[in-house]
């Protein structure tokens, strides 16, 4: 089963849009603030928020940067 991680910060409007979209689709995900967990952000090479990463067997299968409903739809299926 895939693990979905969403990197965001609190005052980010596109981050809130991504959260609302995923919540509306019933997608389960982890939320991480890259400033609170910089080691994980470095591990996954997160340079901007929002960034959604889909992992399968600890390998990145999908990376979505920004609010892109057409790409988010693919992980919401």
């Amino acid at each position: 089963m895939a693990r979905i991680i969403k990197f965001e910060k609190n005052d980010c409007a596109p981050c809130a849009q991504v959260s609302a979209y995923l919540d509306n689709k019933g997608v389960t995900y982890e939320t991480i603030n890259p400033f609170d967990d910089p080691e994980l952000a470095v591990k996954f090479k997160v340079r901007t928020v929002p960034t959604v990463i889909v992992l399968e067997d600890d390998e990145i299968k999908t990376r979505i940067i920004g609010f892109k409903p057409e790409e988010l739809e693919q992980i919401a299926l």
Side-chain angles (χ1 to χ4, degrees):
M1 181 156 174
R3 175 182 175 200
I4 300 172
I5 304 172
K6 180 173 66 74
F7 289 88
E8 70 166 21
K9 57 183 196 151
N10 295 339
D11 59 348
C12 165
C15 299
Q17 289 177 299
V18 171
S19 293
Y21 184 91
L22 294 176
D23 291 344
N24 194 30
K25 297 288 185 175
V27 175
T28 301
Y29 58 92
E30 299 170 51
T31 300
I32 296 175
N33 184 323
F35 297 100
D36 295 339
D37 196 342
E39 297 84 16
L40 198 59
V42 168
K43 176 181 176 183
F44 291 117
K45 299 179 179 146
V46 172
R47 293 193 173 98
T48 189
V49 292
T51 297
V52 176
I53 294 177
V54 179
L55 299 171
E56 288 182 19
D57 299 322
D58 286 331
E59 288 186 35
I60 296 174
K61 295 297 180 189
T62 306
R63 176 187 301 265
I64 302 167
I65 299 170
F67 178 59
K68 298 178 181 162
E70 65 283 353
E71 291 182 34
L72 290 169
E73 181 68 27
Q74 299 304 311
I75 65 171
L77 298 176

